[in-house]
Amino acid sequence: METHLARVLMCLAVLSAGVVRADPGMDGKPEVARPRTVLLLGDSLIVTSFGEYLEQLLNEHSGTRAMRRAKSSTGLARPDFFDWMTVGREEVERHQPDVVVVIMGGNDGQGLTDEKGKAKVQWGASGWEAAYRQRVADFLGTLGAPGRKLLWVELPYTGLPNFERKLGVIRRVLREAVSGHEASTYLETKSFFTDAKGSILREARVEGFRKPMKLKMEDGVHFTLAGGRYFATKVYPAVLGLLGPGGAEPRPASSEPAPVAASPAPSVAASPPPPKEARTREPAICREFDAVSEAPMTVMPMALCYP
């Protein structure tokens, strides 16, 4: 009897010790792990369907939250128009992200100015590349923090000869600057938009659509709604990889992501969308305002741009 009683008391002691070892919060309840945070920063590519859908994919991932701040027609060349140094600093201080994803530079093929609009160096001048490289390095330094990882997404290939000559310079300088910054990764994207022969990929299979979909709008630069979704699904795994342990877990197979929400402009009459299985042509979303995750997107004015 005494031996049996001793065993019972020992088991109770072990169970009690297990409860004590749990990590309680200030209110005595077990602490919940802080969600991993991803901050998306950039120009019109983050404003529109690519940024919207990447944010949605990340927010569907267990234990992860994504925030987005973007401004069309911006970059690092003209801080007098939009100061990404200041905005970037404010955003990382506000959200304390684990990973920052950046895509910009397509608007930077011009002369560099300071915050007051004073010209510093003209596009094509001998000192432009060095000055722009330093500006990118300064921006990365502003975004960085101990333990934080940065992912700079390469500007997508457009297939436009004149524009590509300019983008070639910008991509090269961005790659050099990012490669020289600790904890930063440069994600090359040309393979996403070219076929096996190196020709521009104009259509592709996209999740949620029955047939291959057009990826770019008529300008060859901005994405259709399907194209933005396609690009987001390519970048998404790289972001998860930087989040660390657990970051590579795929989304549950049963939870198919819903289409990116798109409210029509006030002057455009809304019409019911076609059935999902019959959907073959989707509008791309063009917005000329700041995209900020905390703000309700549906109350902001926007225009619909069709592929």
Side-chain angles (χ1 to χ4, degrees), residues 49 206 209 213-215 223-231 282-283:
S49 57
V206 182
F209 297 88
M213 297 298 298
K214 185 177 179 180
L215 300 179
F223 292 107
T224 62
L225 184 61
R229 173 177 293 193
Y230 168 84
F231 191 26
E282 287 284 352

Side-chain angles (χ1 to χ4, degrees), residues 80-158:
D80 57 315
F81 173 68
F82 191 80
D83 189 356
W84 270 112
M85 295 290 183
T86 298
V87 172
R89 182 183 302 108
E90 292 172 350
E91 292 299 313
V92 294
E93 289 177 353
R94 178 180 297 116
H95 301 297
Q96 295 298 312
D98 299 283
V99 174
V100 180
V101 179
V102 182
I103 182 169
M104 65 175 71
N107 301 300
D108 285 343
Q110 57 179 305
L112 307 182
T113 71
D114 61 15
E115 295 82 355
K116 297 181 179 179
K118 182 179 179 181
K120 303 299 290 184
V121 58
Q122 292 300 313
W123 168 260
S126 59
W128 189 92
E129 291 188 18
Y132 186 62
R133 186 181 298 106
Q134 184 59 53
R135 192 163 290 193
V136 175
D138 292 343
F139 185 53
L140 292 171
T142 296
L143 301 178
R148 180 176 299 154
K149 298 179 181 179
L150 309 178
L151 179 68
W152 197 292
V153 181
E154 183 178 58
L155 296 168
Y157 183 64
T158 67

